[in-house]
Amino acid sequence: MQGTVATYDASTRSGVLLLDDGSELAFPARAFDASGLRLLRLGQRVRVERDAAGEVTRVTLPTMA
């Protein structure tokens, strides 16, 4: 699944994504930390991975495996 960064707080390493269907999806610091990224920019396109419960487990760039 993909979305766009709507908010990102570098101090907490968490934020909110705007998904393609218009819904918002919050992501915690552990999902950002799992990505290996150093920062996110507002409006940046990202790929989202979720677990079976629907919790965001990783936020990466669409080009990353």
Side-chain angles (χ1 to χ4, degrees), residues 32-52:
F32 177 75
D33 293 342
S35 72
L37 298 173
R38 295 189 305 182
L39 62 95
L40 289 173
R41 294 182 321 273
L42 298 182
Q44 186 172 19
R45 244 352 232 174
V46 293
R47 187 178 75 203
V48 181
E49 295 178 19
R50 295 204 262 184
D51 62 15

Side-chain angles (χ1 to χ4, degrees), residues 5 14 32 53 63 65:
V5 177
S14 61
F32 177 75
T63 56

